[in-house]
Amino acid sequence: MMQGSREQINRAMTSLRDVGFINYFGMQRFGNSLISTYHVGRALLLNQWETAVDLILKPREGDDNRWREHWMNTRDAKSTLEMLPHHKKSSVEQQLLRGLLKSRNDYQASFYSIPRNTRLIYLHSYQSYIWNVIVTQRLQRDGFKAAVGDLVQKSVENEVLALPRVEYVTEENENDFTIYDVVLPLPGHGVKYPVHQAGKWFTEELAKDGLTVEMLKNSNRDLSLSGAYRKCVVKPTDVSW
């Protein structure tokens, strides 16, 4: 629980009401262990299946590591399953180990023993990580205002779309928008990117991980990321305290 003086609370809540907040993805998006889920997502996008499995199964601080160390030393799924603590029953780790046992350590096949929704969490976590990095850089560069080259979401009534329609901020329409209209893409092959420096940052961040936008389109539907859009800054309504 966070605590503060009445003055601090009033100042913080006034800012929340009048300015809003940066629309970061929260820590729950990245897992609750020392191995962030976005690391696993990155390995999947690179088709590094053994790395992805090891990231989930390797020893970590604050856990019973005997079975984890046993797996890393022996690669014997059967005996590792026998050592698995009771609280790990029905866990992702157990599902992976069962998949490894059934497939005789086929790392890609074993990953498909995890429910699809769980597999997608890893990929979406990677998208969220990149988005958080870029939104920080974008606000540092241009501040809390719409800038030429930004993307803003169009208002389309009575139309169902897989992705919202977006348009670019130009010198002609720049004054028509505020920071609350500005969106950034979650990286994917089916979205537009800003046409100022932030667009280059997406390319650079992906390149650090050995990825390109084109690589986010995969013949394997489970590994193909079309992308999405997310508002950079959000102002809540009806705030009281």
Side-chain angles (χ1 to χ4, degrees):
M1 178 183 296
M2 297 182 66
Q3 296 181 342
S5 67
R6 182 177 297 274
E7 178 185 357
Q8 290 171 323
I9 292 171
N10 284 337
R11 187 164 59 246
M13 294 304 297
T14 300
S15 175
L16 177 65
R17 180 192 65 194
D18 298 343
V19 180
F21 57 91
I22 303 173
N23 200 20
Y24 286 121
F25 288 96
M27 292 306 298
Q28 75 279 4
R29 188 79 168 192
F30 305 107
N32 56 8
S33 71
L34 294 179
I35 306 302
S36 295
T37 49
Y38 77 84
H39 289 298
V40 180
R42 176 176 56 202
L44 295 179
L45 290 170
L46 291 167
N47 289 309
Q48 296 174 346
W49 298 97
E50 183 174 358
T51 297
V53 169
D54 281 347
L55 283 169
I56 295 171
L57 295 181
K58 75 178 187 178
R60 59 193 62 182
E61 188 177 341
D63 200 0
D64 180 358
N65 282 318
R66 289 175 296 176
W67 66 272
R68 293 183 182 275
E69 291 168 353
H70 179 77
W71 161 254
M72 297 300 290
N73 291 330
T74 66
R75 301 283 165 169
D76 182 5
K78 184 176 184 298
S79 58
T80 304
L81 275 168
E82 292 170 352
M83 297 177 64
L84 207 64
H86 181 73
H87 71 276
K88 288 294 183 182
K89 304 300 181 185
S90 301
S91 64
V92 170
E93 289 92 340
Q94 185 194 50
Q95 292 164 348
L96 263 184
L97 287 166
R98 284 181 172 176
L100 288 162
L101 179 60
K102 183 177 180 180
S103 67
R104 297 184 180 182
N105 285 11
D106 181 325
Y107 294 97
Q108 181 173 353
S110 71
F111 220 89
Y112 282 86
S113 64
I114 301 175
R116 182 172 184 270
N117 285 345
T118 303
R119 299 197 305 270
L120 291 177
I121 285 173
Y122 296 119
L123 297 172
H124 294 163
S125 177
Y126 180 75
Q127 287 179 300
S128 303
Y129 164 73
I130 297 294
W131 193 93
N132 277 4
V133 170
I134 302 300
V135 76
T136 298
Q137 295 174 324
R138 158 58 184 84
L139 294 174
Q140 289 174 341
R141 176 185 184 269
D142 291 311
F144 282 65
K145 63 181 180 65
V148 173
D150 275 331
L151 287 164
V152 291
Q153 186 171 325
K154 288 184 177 180
S155 177
V156 181
E157 295 183 2
N158 302 321
E159 187 173 354
V160 178
L161 300 169
L163 281 173
R165 293 185 177 182
V166 294
E167 63 179 300
Y168 289 108
V169 177
T170 65
E171 291 182 357
E172 290 74 24
N173 66 14
E174 184 178 4
N175 293 328
D176 296 338
F177 303 107
T178 71
I179 190 62
Y180 306 107
D181 300 307
V182 176
V183 298
L184 279 175
L186 278 79
H189 61 82
V191 291
K192 295 181 178 179
Y193 292 85
V195 289
H196 50 47
Q197 189 65 33
K200 298 178 181 178
W201 292 333
F202 277 100
T203 301
E204 291 168 358
E205 287 300 321
L206 289 171
K208 290 177 184 178
D209 293 327
L211 291 166
T212 64
V213 170
E214 291 73 24
M215 291 170 68
L216 302 181
K217 186 172 186 178
N218 196 304
S219 58
N220 183 340
R221 187 168 64 92
D222 284 354
L223 296 178
S224 191
L225 296 174
S226 59
Y229 298 104
R230 183 177 176 90
K231 288 196 171 184
C232 294
V233 179
V234 176
K235 186 190 294 186
T237 57
D238 299 325
V239 176
S240 62
W241 65 95

